[in-house]
Amino acid sequence: GFLGPIAFHNTRSSQKVQVVSRMRWDAVCFELYPPKRKGNRGPHPKNPESSKIRDLLKSETKKAWKVWLYGQSVQLQGIEVIRKIRGFEKMVKLVVIDTQTSRPFILLSLDIHATPEIIIEQYGARFSIELFIRECKSEMGLTQYQCYSTIAFFRFVQLCLMITALWKLFWRSE
């Protein structure tokens, strides 16, 4: 649901929005180029051929990636494919990480030219960003704004972010 407006913005604007999100382990994708029908019998399929993303680990050859996650270098195995997903007309890049269990870790990216290492590292960075926003809300009063105009709200948010960054720099230097 949230990908549609972002893709609309990306086609109309010079400033692209990079989305990296996790998908369900039982998600379904659609082939970009469905196989041709044999013969002229039967109705032409309206929907392209679908497959579960986790089954791609069995049919595609796995690659090894060395990524930087949570302050250390990690070796991961998986596949990267470009497919379509339900409810979204554009192509997306899927990175399927083999976890040696029945439930693989599936990441989706709107940027089909991004490497799997960058997609994995961007998704891994979300944890530190979430902690920073939580500190801004609890310690610096990010949710305590009392302004109604958009400009005033953006100035308040920028001020809270600057104060939090300076506070972290000062606290670490001691």
Side-chain angles (χ1 to χ4, degrees):
F2 72 95
L3 291 176
I6 292 172
F8 179 79
H9 171 77
N10 280 354
T11 57
R12 307 265 189 274
S13 173
S14 62
Q15 297 175 338
K16 306 293 184 199
V17 178
Q18 171 69 15
V19 174
V20 175
S21 180
R22 184 174 178 186
M23 294 186 72
R24 291 173 47 118
W25 69 275
D26 59 349
V28 174
C29 66
F30 300 102
E31 296 291 330
L32 294 179
Y33 307 106
K36 296 191 178 211
R37 295 184 305 153
K38 295 181 180 177
N40 292 329
R41 294 191 175 160
H44 186 67
K46 294 179 182 173
N47 295 330
E49 191 169 321
S50 65
S51 61
K52 291 202 180 227
I53 297 173
R54 69 173 181 234
D55 293 338
L56 294 174
L57 280 172
K58 298 173 187 169
S59 62
E60 303 280 332
T61 58
K62 294 180 189 174
K63 296 179 183 175
W65 304 304
K66 196 169 196 175
V67 295
W68 189 260
L69 283 176
Y70 310 120
Q72 60 186 0
S73 182
V74 179
Q75 188 80 18
L76 298 173
Q77 280 191 345
I79 62 164
E80 61 171 316
V81 292
I82 297 174
R83 296 285 195 267
K84 288 188 176 183
I85 58 171
R86 183 180 53 182
F88 193 64
E89 69 277 355
K90 299 204 178 276
M91 297 182 292
V92 296
K93 181 170 250 185
L94 300 171
V95 176
V96 185
I97 302 168
D98 190 10
T99 59
Q100 306 300 330
T101 65
S102 63
R103 295 187 178 200
F105 199 82
I106 304 169
L107 297 177
L108 167 137
S109 175
L110 287 184
D111 185 8
I112 61 172
H113 303 293
T115 63
E117 292 89 353
I118 290 176
I119 293 171
I120 294 167
E121 287 174 3
Q122 284 178 345
Y123 186 78
R126 90 202 183 294
F127 187 69
S128 59
I129 294 169
E130 288 174 4
L131 287 178
F132 182 75
I133 291 173
R134 185 178 297 153
E135 283 183 4
C136 287
K137 286 179 177 180
S138 64
E139 302 294 329
M140 300 302 162
L142 183 62
T143 59
Q144 304 298 320
Y145 62 91
Q146 296 181 4
C147 47
Y148 295 103
S149 72
T150 306
I151 293 173
F153 172 73
F154 284 137
R155 287 180 183 158
F156 179 78
V157 170
Q158 288 173 349
L159 183 63
C160 282
L161 294 176
M162 275 192 339
I163 290 171
T164 307
L166 290 172
W167 176 66
K168 284 200 155 288
L169 285 173
F170 178 72
W171 186 66
R172 285 193 179 165
S173 66
E174 290 182 354

